[in-house]
Structures are given as structure tokens and as C-alpha cells.
Amino acid sequence: MEEASALFTVGPVEISAVTLSSWVIIALLALLSWLATRNLKDVPGPLQCAAEMAVEGIENFIAGTLGKEKARKYFPIFATFFIFIIVSNYSGILPGAGQITGFAVPTACLSVTAALGLIAFGTTHTLGIRERGLGHYLKSFLKPFALMLPLTLIEQLIRPLSLALRLYGNMYGEETVTHELYNIFPILLPLVMNVLSLLFCMIQAMVFTLLLAIYVEEATAEEE
Amino acid sequence: MTSGTIALAIGIMMGLCVFGTAIGQGMVASKTMESMARQPEVAGKLQTAMILAMALQEALTIYGLLIAFMLIGKV
């Protein structure tokens, strides 16, 4: 649970368990996608089949909000967020995950989720400006009327914060509850929370991606 | 004395925080299920909307949780 303390240092940079775990997850995901797409065939093998299912599932999920065309165009962003978050969330329920030193669930740390939130914030506005042009995009803040500007700005600034806090709060809460249950009675009792975690981890990843999709949709919407 | 009061405050605050969200989420869920029973063909869309609405409500509880964490540091 001691997330912030440094495991070892590389030069002046302190590497904590969270950093290490997210690097490992990123490396594993990169390796897996390299293996899955190394030689693509018309008749897919098991790994390619799984990858295709994942890609198609995520694309349909985003297309529900963004529409087919934009979903295809911005697919990499959403898929990256979704896959990284879901794998990080699920990494917490691996057997013995709480007992390994040097392992911590990345999304149960506020720094990681804050980073994700900031990237989401940047993405939304970059895409908005790129789709509509700077002038038009800035003008869209003045709609429906100019007096709403402060409220709109506050809302925009709250968004990354609430994205980050939602993910962090859920994952940290879940980790803490599991840990407490483990302290009460280590056999079978944490399993209760783990079963719920299977559901919640999925939902949190979905919610993050869905909200980001809605923000992007709002930022890049065609003007009437 | 002070630290006891803060601890009490955390308990009461989290209770109230969860109370409101619980009512709200219950309402969302009950209405969604009603609509799903009435129109099973839009169940998929409703489910997405339901999860989204619940997530937005949940954020409010998590703001409370954040304050609780900040207060716990002072106990």
C-alpha cells in the first residue's frame, strides 16, 4: 500500500512501485499487440482473433457515442485509454498482487489518474481546435449566450479533475476494502470484494472512455 | 478533543455523502429498468446511459471521499 515511497533511483529520478507497475503493464501490452499483429492472416489464429474482437468491441462501443466515422478516426486514443485503464484495474485482482513488493495498482494512485485526466483534457481541446479551427472553437464557448462563459470555463476545468478523482476514488476504495477484508480474515473473505471488483473494474474503464468520447463529441460537433 | 470531533465529522459526512448518491442511483436504476421492461429493444442504449448517469452521481460521493482523506490527515 505504500505507493509514494521510492523503490530505487535512476539518477535523480525516484522510481516508485506505481511507476514500475505501469511500465510493466505498458511493456506487456506493447509485446502482446506486437505478437498479435506480427503476421496477420486472412484466417486468424487465436491471438489475432482475440485482438480483432477487442478492437471491434471497443470501436462499436465508441461509435455508439461518436458515430462510425469519428470513432474510426480517433479510435487509437480511446482504445489506448480503455485498454490501459482496464488492464491496470484488473492487475489488482491477480493472485497475490497485494503481497508483491514493487507492485501497486497504477490506477489506485492519484498521480496516475491525474495524468490520465490531463491527457484527456488536452486531447479534447486539441481535437476541438483541429476539427473546427481555433476561432470557431473559442466561439463555441460563448454559446448559447456569452454570460454563460464563466460557468462553461469552470465546467471545462472540473472535467479532468472529476475524471481523475472518479477513477482514483473507485480503485483506491476497492483496494482498501479488499485489504481490510484480508486483514479481518485472509481466507475466502477478500473473494467477496474480488467478485465485485470484476464488475467495477470493467465499469470504471468504460465510464472513463465513454465520458471522454462524450467530451470529444461535444468539442468536435458540427455547427448547425 | 479536536481529533475526536474531526473523526466524528468524517463519519457523519461520508454517511450523508453516500446517502444522497444512493437515493439518486436507486432512482436512476429503477427508472431505467422500468423503461427496459417497457421497451426491451432500446435496452442497450439505456444501459449505457444508466452507467453514465450513475458515474456522474458517483463523482459527488468521491468529492466527499476526497475531503474525508484530507481530514483524516488531521486526526
Side-chain angles (χ1 to χ4, degrees):
Chain A
M1 286 259 134
E2 65 283 14
E3 287 142 353
S5 57
L7 279 180
F8 55 90
T9 51
V10 179
V13 188
E14 291 185 345
I15 307 297
S16 67
V18 175
T19 321
L20 191 67
S21 320
S22 44
W23 284 350
V24 169
I25 287 172
I26 291 167
L28 282 180
L29 283 175
L31 182 71
L32 197 67
S33 43
W34 179 72
L35 282 179
T37 56
R38 192 174 34 163
N39 50 354
L40 296 172
K41 295 190 204 93
D42 279 343
V43 183
L47 195 58
Q48 192 190 339
C49 211
E52 278 175 8
M53 269 169 66
V55 166
E56 214 171 278
I58 296 171
E59 194 176 304
N60 285 336
F61 174 63
I62 307 161
T65 318
L66 273 178
K68 265 273 179 267
E69 198 181 319
K70 274 190 209 162
R72 174 60 59 88
K73 198 168 164 192
Y74 299 132
F75 177 77
I77 301 164
F78 297 106
T80 310
F81 271 112
F82 184 78
I83 294 173
F84 178 69
I85 292 174
I86 200 169
V87 172
S88 309
N89 289 355
Y90 274 142
S91 69
I93 45 180
L94 287 175
Q99 305 300 318
I100 306 168
T101 23
F103 178 82
V105 180
T107 40
C109 170
L110 189 54
S111 314
V112 175
T113 59
L116 289 175
L118 283 178
I119 297 170
F121 181 77
T123 308
T124 317
H125 295 295
T126 315
L127 291 184
I129 292 169
R130 196 193 280 171
E131 284 281 310
R132 294 208 272 186
L134 185 60
H136 277 122
Y137 184 62
L138 288 181
K139 238 184 245 168
S140 73
F141 284 112
L142 296 174
K143 282 170 186 169
F145 45 89
L147 276 180
M148 293 278 276
L149 183 65
L151 282 180
T152 323
L153 285 182
I154 291 174
E155 196 200 335
Q156 295 289 341
L157 291 176
I158 287 280
R159 276 174 182 180
L161 187 74
S162 81
L163 275 180
L165 282 179
R166 178 178 304 116
L167 189 56
Y168 163 71
N170 274 290
M171 297 324 295
Y172 181 78
E174 220 173 275
E175 288 289 298
T176 317
V177 172
T178 317
H179 203 76
E180 287 304 316
L181 286 178
Y182 180 84
N183 285 345
I184 296 169
F185 190 67
I187 304 161
L188 285 181
L189 194 57
L191 207 62
V192 180
M193 196 59 203
N194 279 353
V195 173
L196 274 178
S197 302
L198 279 178
L199 182 66
F200 289 156
C201 293
M202 173 83 183
I203 288 183
Q204 284 315 313
M206 267 173 65
V207 162
F208 194 101
T209 322
L210 191 64
L211 281 173
L212 181 61
I214 288 173
Y215 296 158
V216 168
E217 161 68 13
E218 200 187 280
T220 60
E222 305 289 329
E223 277 164 80
E224 311 86 44
Chain B
M1 178 63 200
T2 333
S3 101
T5 322
I6 292 175
L8 196 62
I10 296 172
I12 294 173
M13 183 195 68
M14 276 322 288
L16 287 175
C17 249
V18 172
F19 183 70
T21 309
I23 292 179
Q25 291 199 336
M27 284 165 97
V28 170
S30 85
K31 283 287 173 192
T32 316
M33 282 174 196
E34 221 169 80
S35 325
M36 276 176 177
R38 201 166 288 170
Q39 277 175 294
E41 61 270 25
V42 288
K45 268 187 182 173
L46 284 177
Q47 201 170 20
T48 322
M50 179 184 81
I51 291 174
L52 189 71
M54 284 191 166
L56 290 176
Q57 293 177 22
E58 204 176 53
L60 302 177
T61 306
I62 287 167
Y63 295 149
L65 186 70
L66 184 76
I67 304 292
F69 283 147
M70 288 159 96
L71 283 178
I72 271 182
K74 294 187 179 175
V75 170

Coordinates of all heavy atoms in Angstrom, one line a residue, chain B residues 21-64:
Chain B
T21 N -26.2 10.0 -2.8 CA -25.9 9.3 -4.1 C -26.7 8.0 -4.2 O -27.2 7.6 -5.2 CB -24.4 9.0 -4.1 OG1 -23.7 10.2 -3.9 CG2 -24.0 8.4 -5.5
A22 N -26.9 7.4 -3.0 CA -27.6 6.1 -3.0 C -29.0 6.3 -3.5 O -29.5 5.6 -4.3 CB -27.6 5.5 -1.6
I23 N -29.7 7.4 -3.0 CA -31.1 7.6 -3.4 C -31.1 7.9 -4.9 O -31.9 7.4 -5.7 CB -31.6 8.8 -2.6 CG1 -31.8 8.5 -1.2 CG2 -33.0 9.3 -3.2 CD1 -32.4 9.6 -0.4
G24 N -30.1 8.8 -5.4 CA -30.1 9.2 -6.8 C -29.9 8.0 -7.7 O -30.6 7.8 -8.7
Q25 N -28.9 7.1 -7.3 CA -28.6 6.0 -8.2 C -29.8 5.0 -8.2 O -30.1 4.4 -9.2 CB -27.3 5.3 -7.7 CG -26.1 6.1 -7.9 CD -24.8 5.3 -7.8 OE1 -24.8 4.3 -7.2 NE2 -23.8 5.8 -8.5
G26 N -30.4 4.9 -7.0 CA -31.6 4.0 -7.0 C -32.7 4.4 -7.9 O -33.3 3.6 -8.6
M27 N -32.9 5.8 -7.9 CA -33.9 6.3 -8.8 C -33.6 6.0 -10.3 O -34.4 5.6 -11.1 CB -34.1 7.8 -8.6 CG -34.9 8.1 -7.3 SD -34.7 9.8 -6.9 CE -36.2 10.5 -7.6
V28 N -32.3 6.3 -10.6 CA -31.8 6.1 -12.0 C -32.1 4.6 -12.4 O -32.7 4.3 -13.4 CB -30.3 6.4 -12.2 CG1 -29.8 6.0 -13.5 CG2 -30.1 7.9 -12.0
A29 N -31.6 3.7 -11.5 CA -31.7 2.3 -11.8 C -33.2 1.8 -11.9 O -33.5 1.1 -12.9 CB -31.1 1.4 -10.7
S30 N -34.0 2.3 -11.0 CA -35.4 1.8 -11.1 C -36.1 2.3 -12.3 O -36.8 1.6 -13.0 CB -36.2 2.3 -9.8 OG -36.7 3.6 -10.0
K31 N -35.9 3.6 -12.7 CA -36.5 4.1 -13.9 C -36.0 3.4 -15.2 O -36.7 3.2 -16.1 CB -36.2 5.7 -14.0 CG -37.1 6.5 -13.1 CD -38.5 6.5 -13.6 CE -39.4 7.2 -12.6 NZ -40.8 7.0 -12.8
T32 N -34.6 3.2 -15.2 CA -34.1 2.5 -16.4 C -34.7 1.1 -16.5 O -35.1 0.7 -17.6 CB -32.6 2.4 -16.2 OG1 -32.0 3.6 -15.7 CG2 -31.9 2.0 -17.5
M33 N -34.8 0.4 -15.4 CA -35.4 -0.9 -15.5 C -36.8 -0.9 -16.0 O -37.3 -1.7 -16.7 CB -35.2 -1.7 -14.2 CG -33.8 -2.2 -14.0 SD -33.5 -2.9 -12.5 CE -31.7 -2.9 -12.5
E34 N -37.5 0.1 -15.5 CA -38.9 0.2 -15.9 C -39.0 0.4 -17.4 O -39.8 -0.2 -18.1 CB -39.5 1.5 -15.2 CG -40.9 1.4 -14.7 CD -41.2 2.5 -13.8 OE1 -41.6 3.6 -14.4 OE2 -41.2 2.4 -12.6
S35 N -38.1 1.3 -17.9 CA -38.1 1.6 -19.4 C -37.7 0.4 -20.1 O -38.2 0.1 -21.2 CB -37.2 2.8 -19.7 OG -37.3 3.7 -18.7
M36 N -36.7 -0.4 -19.6 CA -36.2 -1.6 -20.3 C -37.3 -2.6 -20.4 O -37.5 -3.2 -21.4 CB -35.1 -2.2 -19.5 CG -33.7 -1.6 -19.8 SD -32.5 -2.4 -18.7 CE -31.0 -1.6 -19.3
A37 N -38.1 -2.7 -19.3 CA -39.2 -3.7 -19.4 C -40.3 -3.2 -20.4 O -40.9 -4.0 -21.1 CB -39.9 -3.8 -18.0
R38 N -40.4 -1.9 -20.5 CA -41.5 -1.4 -21.4 C -41.0 -1.5 -22.9 O -41.7 -1.8 -23.8 CB -41.8 0.0 -21.1 CG -43.1 0.5 -21.6 CD -43.5 1.8 -20.9 NE -43.8 1.6 -19.5 CZ -44.0 2.6 -18.7 NH1 -43.8 3.9 -19.1 NH2 -44.4 2.4 -17.4
Q39 N -39.7 -1.2 -23.1 CA -39.2 -1.2 -24.5 C -37.8 -2.0 -24.5 O -36.8 -1.4 -24.5 CB -38.9 0.2 -25.0 CG -40.1 0.9 -25.5 CD -39.8 2.3 -25.8 OE1 -39.5 3.1 -25.0 NE2 -39.9 2.6 -27.1
P40 N -37.9 -3.3 -24.5 CA -36.7 -4.1 -24.5 C -35.7 -3.8 -25.6 O -34.5 -4.0 -25.5 CB -37.2 -5.5 -24.5 CG -38.6 -5.5 -24.2 CD -39.1 -4.1 -24.6
E41 N -36.2 -3.3 -26.7 CA -35.4 -3.1 -27.9 C -34.3 -2.0 -27.7 O -33.3 -1.9 -28.4 CB -36.2 -2.8 -29.2 CG -37.1 -1.6 -29.2 CD -38.5 -1.9 -28.6 OE1 -38.6 -2.9 -27.8 OE2 -39.4 -1.2 -28.9
V42 N -34.6 -1.0 -26.8 CA -33.6 0.0 -26.5 C -32.7 -0.3 -25.3 O -32.1 0.6 -24.8 CB -34.2 1.4 -26.4 CG1 -34.7 1.9 -27.8 CG2 -35.3 1.5 -25.4
A43 N -32.8 -1.5 -24.8 CA -32.1 -1.8 -23.5 C -30.6 -1.5 -23.6 O -30.1 -1.0 -22.6 CB -32.3 -3.3 -23.2
G44 N -30.0 -1.7 -24.7 CA -28.5 -1.5 -24.8 C -28.2 0.0 -24.6 O -27.3 0.3 -23.8
K45 N -29.0 0.8 -25.3 CA -28.7 2.3 -25.2 C -29.0 2.8 -23.8 O -28.2 3.6 -23.2 CB -29.6 3.0 -26.1 CG -29.0 3.3 -27.5 CD -30.0 4.2 -28.3 CE -29.4 4.4 -29.7 NZ -30.3 5.1 -30.5
L46 N -30.1 2.2 -23.2 CA -30.5 2.7 -21.8 C -29.4 2.3 -20.8 O -29.1 3.1 -19.9 CB -31.8 2.0 -21.4 CG -33.0 2.6 -22.1 CD1 -34.2 1.9 -21.6 CD2 -33.2 4.1 -21.6
Q47 N -28.8 1.1 -21.0 CA -27.8 0.7 -20.1 C -26.6 1.6 -20.1 O -26.1 2.0 -19.0 CB -27.3 -0.7 -20.5 CG -26.7 -1.5 -19.3 CD -26.5 -2.9 -19.6 OE1 -26.5 -3.3 -20.8 NE2 -26.4 -3.7 -18.6
T48 N -26.1 2.0 -21.3 CA -25.0 2.9 -21.4 C -25.4 4.2 -20.7 O -24.6 4.8 -19.9 CB -24.7 3.2 -22.9 OG1 -24.8 2.0 -23.6 CG2 -23.3 3.7 -23.0
A49 N -26.6 4.7 -21.0 CA -27.0 6.0 -20.4 C -27.1 5.9 -18.8 O -26.7 6.8 -18.1 CB -28.3 6.4 -20.9
M50 N -27.5 4.7 -18.4 CA -27.6 4.5 -16.9 C -26.3 4.5 -16.3 O -26.1 5.2 -15.2 CB -28.3 3.2 -16.7 CG -28.5 2.9 -15.2 SD -29.2 1.2 -14.9 CE -27.8 0.2 -15.1
I51 N -25.3 3.8 -16.9 CA -24.0 3.7 -16.3 C -23.4 5.1 -16.2 O -22.8 5.6 -15.2 CB -23.1 2.8 -17.1 CG1 -23.6 1.3 -16.8 CG2 -21.6 2.9 -16.7 CD1 -22.9 0.3 -17.7
L52 N -23.6 5.9 -17.3 CA -23.1 7.3 -17.4 C -23.7 8.1 -16.3 O -23.0 8.8 -15.5 CB -23.4 7.8 -18.7 CG -22.7 9.2 -19.0 CD1 -21.3 8.9 -19.2 CD2 -23.3 9.8 -20.3
A53 N -25.0 8.1 -16.1 CA -25.7 8.9 -15.1 C -25.2 8.5 -13.7 O -25.0 9.4 -12.9 CB -27.2 8.7 -15.2
M54 N -25.0 7.2 -13.5 CA -24.6 6.8 -12.2 C -23.1 7.3 -11.9 O -22.8 7.7 -10.8 CB -24.6 5.3 -12.1 CG -26.0 4.7 -11.9 SD -25.9 3.0 -11.5 CE -27.6 2.8 -11.0
A55 N -22.3 7.2 -13.0 CA -20.9 7.7 -12.8 C -20.9 9.1 -12.4 O -20.1 9.6 -11.6 CB -20.1 7.4 -14.1
L56 N -21.8 9.9 -13.0 CA -21.8 11.4 -12.7 C -22.2 11.6 -11.3 O -21.7 12.5 -10.6 CB -22.7 12.1 -13.7 CG -22.1 12.2 -15.1 CD1 -23.1 12.8 -16.1 CD2 -20.8 13.0 -15.2
Q57 N -23.1 10.8 -10.8 CA -23.6 11.0 -9.4 C -22.5 10.5 -8.5 O -22.3 11.1 -7.4 CB -24.8 10.1 -9.2 CG -26.0 10.6 -9.9 CD -27.2 9.8 -9.7 OE1 -27.3 9.1 -8.7 NE2 -28.1 9.8 -10.6
E58 N -21.8 9.4 -8.9 CA -20.8 8.9 -8.0 C -19.7 9.9 -7.8 O -19.1 9.9 -6.7 CB -20.2 7.6 -8.7 CG -19.6 6.6 -7.8 CD -19.2 5.5 -8.6 OE1 -18.4 5.6 -9.6 OE2 -19.6 4.4 -8.3
A59 N -19.4 10.7 -8.8 CA -18.4 11.7 -8.6 C -18.6 12.6 -7.4 O -17.7 12.9 -6.7 CB -18.3 12.6 -9.9
L60 N -19.9 12.8 -7.1 CA -20.2 13.7 -5.9 C -19.7 13.0 -4.7 O -19.2 13.6 -3.8 CB -21.7 14.0 -5.9 CG -22.2 14.7 -7.2 CD1 -23.7 14.9 -7.1 CD2 -21.5 16.0 -7.4
T61 N -20.0 11.7 -4.6 CA -19.6 11.0 -3.4 C -18.1 11.0 -3.3 O -17.5 11.1 -2.2 CB -20.1 9.5 -3.4 OG1 -21.5 9.5 -3.6 CG2 -19.8 8.8 -2.1
I62 N -17.4 10.9 -4.4 CA -16.0 10.8 -4.4 C -15.4 12.2 -4.0 O -14.3 12.2 -3.4 CB -15.5 10.3 -5.7 CG1 -15.8 8.8 -5.7 CG2 -14.0 10.4 -5.9 CD1 -15.7 8.1 -7.0
Y63 N -16.0 13.3 -4.3 CA -15.6 14.5 -3.8 C -15.6 14.5 -2.3 O -14.7 15.0 -1.6 CB -16.4 15.7 -4.3 CG -16.4 15.9 -5.7 CD1 -17.4 16.5 -6.4 CD2 -15.2 15.7 -6.4 CE1 -17.4 16.7 -7.8 CE2 -15.1 15.9 -7.8 CZ -16.2 16.4 -8.5 OH -16.2 16.6 -9.8
G64 N -16.7 13.9 -1.7 CA -16.8 13.8 -0.3 C -15.6 12.9 0.3 O -15.0 13.2 1.3

